Amino acid sequence: MTALFFQALAAQLSCKGSQALSGRARRVHLLIAGTTFPQATRSCRAEVGIAYADGTAQRIELRSPGTWWPVEQDYLVDDYVFRMEEPHDPAVSVSWRVDLQTAAARATAPLRQPGMRGGKIPGGSAFVVSVETNSAKELKAIELHTRMYGVVLGWLGLTLERV
């Protein structure tokens, strides 16, 4: 399934994109590329909402550095000024980056280690947000909601890991 949305929150109004879903899945994987200004570290940039057919929903905040990686560079991890944090929600992980110029996939675990120098990425890099879903429930829709002024966000793809 391909979902392609580009969002830019340039006013005090939020914007969102959604995709209808059906069936059941154990995980949803979103390919996202986005950036904002560095002063917003640890702030919620966007939110993923997963709606189930029974009317319940699951919400995930995307905030750096745990669940948001900038498109233009890897993080500089010095454990002094900047340290990595794991996602607040154990059902969420960001384990992969996909370089947009070469399509090379890179694990984020080595990039999270203290002493990593970060740096610019030629052509940019997207990140994969993996969200565990309630596999006993039918899916209805997924929504990506930009929450912060100045966010530029590209939702490049969506994969359902079926039950």
Side-chain angles (χ1 to χ4, degrees), residues 109-124:
L111 303 173
R112 295 173 177 269
Q113 301 305 312
M116 287 306 299
R117 301 305 305 162
K120 301 286 183 200
I121 302 167

Side-chain angles (χ1 to χ4, degrees), residues 3 26 30 37 40 48 51 58 62 65 89-90 93 100 110 127 136 139 142:
R26 66 175 53 90
L30 295 161
F37 44 94
V48 175
Q58 181 177 356
L62 301 181
D89 187 334
S93 67
L100 300 175
F127 59 98
L139 295 168
I142 189 164

Side-chain angles (χ1 to χ4, degrees), residues 7-78:
Q7 303 174 355
L9 186 55
Q12 292 300 328
L13 304 171
S14 62
C15 57
K16 58 186 170 183
S18 63
Q19 175 71 46
L21 301 175
S22 62
R24 295 182 301 140
R26 66 175 53 90
R27 274 185 209 82
V28 174
H29 305 280
L30 295 161
L31 182 63
I32 298 172
T35 193
T36 63
F37 44 94
Q39 299 87 337
T41 298
R42 293 174 175 50
S43 299
C44 179
R45 285 154 165 74
E47 183 178 80
V48 175
I50 299 171
Y52 296 98
D54 67 0
T56 60
Q58 181 177 356
R59 299 254 174 237
I60 309 302
E61 287 188 341
L62 301 181
R63 51 178 70 236
S64 70
T67 53
W68 182 277
W69 287 64
V71 68
E72 76 281 359
Q73 64 185 318
D74 285 330
Y75 288 121
L76 163 68
V77 183
D78 62 5

Side-chain angles (χ1 to χ4, degrees), residues 24-27 133-136 161-163:
R24 295 182 301 140
R26 66 175 53 90
R27 274 185 209 82
T133 60
N134 186 336
S135 61
E161 192 176 316
R162 296 289 186 181
V163 181

Side-chain angles (χ1 to χ4, degrees), residues 125-147:
S125 189
F127 59 98
V128 178
V129 177
S130 299
V131 181
E132 289 181 24
T133 60
N134 186 336
S135 61
K137 294 184 177 186
E138 265 315 288
L139 295 168
K140 180 179 179 184
I142 189 164
E143 175 181 279
L144 190 59
H145 190 152
T146 305
R147 306 294 284 178

Side-chain angles (χ1 to χ4, degrees), residues 75-93:
Y75 288 121
L76 163 68
V77 183
D78 62 5
D79 270 0
Y80 178 67
V81 174
F82 190 84
R83 69 181 190 289
M84 292 300 292
E85 295 174 355
E86 293 302 317
H88 291 84
D89 187 334
V92 181
S93 67

